[in-house]
């Protein structure tokens, strides 16, 4: 049975009769400023900030604003079904939680809280290599929940294979390989605070608990944390890879592989040619190439080029239910939600993630119906018009 996410709306109004209001805002555009009030400057800047001038962060939102939904009436949209199939697996809605590293900088429960909230709602997580908790700990918190693993590809084959094996053993079904962050961009908000979580040993739980990584160290991370941090930072940043190296991952991962950070149709074709199963059209939320094309502007041509060969996913700038509808209408099968639930995590751990996620899903459900659509299959280019 399809989940009726819109019921969160009536739940909130009914609780209001008993004098209760939501734990924090339901307005996705107000989340960032309310998170600023509960976070220290360093962590807030790390989450909200972008590369360089911030042009790409702004472009991501401007691209959504250039498209308008054209609602249809008397369309019998009382019952809606948000389900879709991605990489051969059914999802309750076309939404996954994007891989977000170092979640403990916004809440001590970090990835554990996120995994539990997502599992409760049946929404998949994508666990970042830069997690504050180990693969095994997050798997336990995720329980029966769907989970994918995001790889920041180490420059050491033994460590890479060891991490992949752990992910597989822990029930992570798909591998997401992030291509756009082989080294960190110039990020003024972090530089001005001289704030980089990894250097402080945050977001290193996966390598520090990895036998292949530990075997390379003269002293364990518990004995000499700084040397271990340095070794890891050198191992997962600074060296770009090439298309022919994907064969190595294919050899060591027998499930679906998704490449994240694709913005050019030719790269999308190369991904399909390399036998990849999916791509995420993404500019990393404007955190990597300042002045890069808005991810939504890149989406239609990419979906056109490879939509029949690989599953095209999307992130960067999704804030509302309407945004999800726009991305699906322009060719995405599903979207990855990023910053909004991180702000939810900052506000209230597991409950905060749950509140934001339920809000986005309710908004999606209601907006889908109110625009005259019963399922994602009803959406397409005909759903939208460009801003006059
Ligand atoms: C604080 C933060 C940490 C992130 N960490 C990772 C990461 O570890 N791995 C990754 O592939 N992407 C990471 N991303 C990028 C997200 O997966 C996603 O592409 C981005 O958040 C989408 O942009 P949006 O949040 O503005 O919608 C991170 C993004 C943020 C905001």
């Amino acid at each position: 049975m399809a989940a009726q996410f819109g019921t969160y709306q009536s739940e909130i109004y009914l609780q209001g009769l008993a004098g209760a209001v939501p734990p924090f805002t339901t307005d996705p555009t107000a989340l960032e400023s309310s998170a600023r009030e509960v976070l220290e400057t360093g962590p807030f800047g790390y989450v909200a900030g972008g590369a360089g001038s911030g042009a790409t962060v702004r472009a991501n939102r401007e691209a959504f604003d250039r498209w308008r939904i054209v609602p249809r009436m008397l369309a019998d949209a009382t019952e809606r079904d948000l389900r879709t199939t991605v990489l051969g697996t059914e999802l309750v809605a076309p939404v996954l939680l994007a891989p977000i590293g170092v979640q403990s900088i916004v809440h001590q429960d970090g990835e554990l809280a996120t995994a539990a909230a997502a599992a409760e709602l049946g929404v998949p997580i994508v666990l970042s290599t830069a997690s504050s908790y180990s693969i095994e700990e997050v798997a336990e918190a995720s329980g029966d929940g769907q989970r994918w693993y995001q790889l920041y590809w180490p420059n050491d084959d033994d460590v890479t294979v060891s991490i992949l094996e752990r992910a597989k053993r822990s029930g992570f079904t798909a591998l997401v390989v992030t291509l756009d962050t082989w080294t960190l961009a110039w990020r003024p908000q972090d530089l001005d605070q001289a704030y980089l979580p990894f250097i402080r040993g945050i977001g290193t739980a996966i390598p520090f608990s990895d036998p292949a990584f530990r075997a390379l160290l003269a002293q364990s991370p518990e004995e000499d944390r700084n040397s271990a941090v340095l070794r890891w930072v050198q191992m997962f940043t600074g060296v770009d890879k090439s298309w022919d190296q994907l064969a190595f991952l294919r050899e060591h991962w027998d499930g679906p592989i998704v490449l994240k950070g694709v913005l050019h149709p030719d790269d999308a074709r190369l991904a399909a040619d390399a036998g990849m199963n999916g791509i995420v059209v993404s500019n990393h939320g404007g955190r990597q190439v300042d002045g890069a094309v808005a991810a939504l502007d890149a989406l239609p041509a990419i979906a056109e080029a490879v939509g029949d060969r690989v599953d095209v996913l999307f992130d960067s700038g999704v804030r509302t239910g309407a945004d999800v509808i726009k991305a699906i209408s322009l060719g995405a099968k599903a979207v990855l939600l990023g910053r909004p639930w991180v702000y939810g995590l900052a506000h209230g751990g597991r409950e905060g993630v749950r509140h934001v996620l339920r809000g986005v899903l309710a908004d999606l459900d209601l907006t889908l119906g109110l625009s005259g659509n019963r399922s994602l299959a009803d959406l397409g280019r005909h759903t939208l018009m460009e801003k006059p």
Side-chain angles (χ1 to χ4, degrees):
M1 238 234 337
Q4 300 300 304
F5 294 107
T7 56
Y8 192 35
Q9 183 198 50
S10 35
E11 190 180 312
I12 290 175
Y13 287 134
L14 285 173
Q15 285 173 352
L17 293 177
V21 292
F24 54 93
T25 185
T26 56
D27 176 355
T29 62
L31 271 175
E32 180 179 315
S33 54
S34 76
R36 188 194 290 271
E37 286 165 25
V38 297
L39 288 175
E40 302 282 329
T41 318
F44 176 77
Y46 186 77
V47 177
S53 68
T56 306
V57 180
R58 290 190 295 279
N60 284 337
R61 289 303 306 151
E62 287 161 10
F64 276 101
D65 288 341
R66 278 200 307 278
W67 290 101
R68 305 275 157 90
I69 296 168
V70 186
R72 299 298 306 270
M73 299 298 129
L74 297 176
D76 191 16
T78 316
E79 303 278 327
R80 273 100 48 198
D81 187 346
L82 296 185
R83 285 177 296 184
T84 189
T85 299
V86 176
L87 303 178
T89 303
E90 186 176 286
L91 308 189
V92 293
V95 176
L96 300 93
L97 298 194
I100 301 279
V102 295
Q103 291 178 31
S104 61
I105 65 171
V106 305
H107 191 282
Q108 61 186 8
D109 298 342
E111 292 79 2
L112 303 181
T114 305
E120 196 182 331
L121 296 173
V123 170
I125 55 163
V126 187
L127 177 65
S128 164
T129 296
S131 172
S132 335
Y133 290 91
S134 73
I135 292 175
E136 295 75 13
E137 288 168 327
V138 177
E140 196 183 327
S142 157
D144 292 339
Q146 292 183 51
R147 44 190 182 266
W148 298 4
Y149 184 77
Q150 177 264 324
L151 185 70
Y152 277 137
W153 193 344
N155 307 313
D156 182 293
D157 287 350
D158 292 340
V159 174
T160 303
V161 170
S162 173
I163 288 176
L164 295 184
E165 278 171 2
R166 289 170 64 196
K168 196 88 216 184
R169 259 201 316 273
S170 302
F172 290 80
T173 53
L175 181 67
V176 177
V177 187
T178 299
L179 307 179
D180 56 19
T181 311
W182 56 270
T183 202
L184 272 188
W186 186 253
R187 296 182 182 170
Q189 257 159 296
D190 299 336
L191 292 162
D192 289 353
Q193 302 288 328
Y195 181 77
L196 185 63
F198 313 105
I199 297 280
R200 298 162 187 232
I202 307 170
T204 52
I206 292 179
F208 284 12
S209 57
D210 191 83
F213 178 74
R214 293 175 71 96
L216 300 172
L217 304 174
Q219 287 189 299
S220 73
E222 296 75 38
E223 290 159 345
D224 181 358
R225 195 174 75 148
N226 289 347
S227 302
V229 165
L230 209 62
R231 187 77 193 248
W232 174 242
V233 170
Q234 287 164 350
M235 193 179 281
F236 90 109
T237 70
V239 180
D240 199 3
K241 303 274 196 304
S242 57
W243 287 97
D244 52 14
Q245 287 176 274
L246 290 173
F248 179 83
L249 294 182
R250 183 44 89 205
E251 193 184 322
H252 294 279
W253 181 267
D254 54 14
I257 305 181
V258 176
L259 300 185
K260 176 170 182 277
V262 173
L263 290 167
H264 194 295
D266 286 348
D267 283 347
R269 285 188 194 95
L270 286 167
D273 293 346
M276 300 293 109
N277 308 90
I279 55 172
V280 185
V281 177
S282 164
N283 57 29
H284 213 102
R287 300 163 72 79
Q288 284 298 95
V289 178
D290 187 28
V293 57
L296 195 74
D297 287 337
L299 176 61
I302 291 177
E304 174 74 26
V306 298
D308 55 345
R309 298 172 70 197
V310 300
D311 279 355
V312 177
L313 308 181
F314 174 87
D315 78 29
S316 297
V318 177
R319 299 291 176 267
T320 65
D323 294 342
V324 181
I325 290 176
K326 291 176 187 180
I328 304 287
S329 299
L330 293 173
K333 278 200 111 175
V335 305
L336 280 62
L337 193 62
R339 288 181 176 98
W341 63 262
V342 184
Y343 296 134
L345 180 65
H347 272 287
R350 174 178 175 166
E351 276 308 305
V353 174
R354 187 166 175 270
H355 171 60
V356 170
L357 199 48
R358 289 189 80 194
V360 172
L361 292 171
D363 183 18
L364 168 60
D365 186 15
L366 295 169
T367 307
L368 187 77
L370 288 169
S371 54
N373 299 288
R374 276 176 286 178
S375 76
L376 306 177
D378 293 341
L379 302 177
R381 185 60 187 76
H382 58 273
T383 311
L384 307 178
M385 72 180 261
E386 280 187 84
K387 184 178 172 183

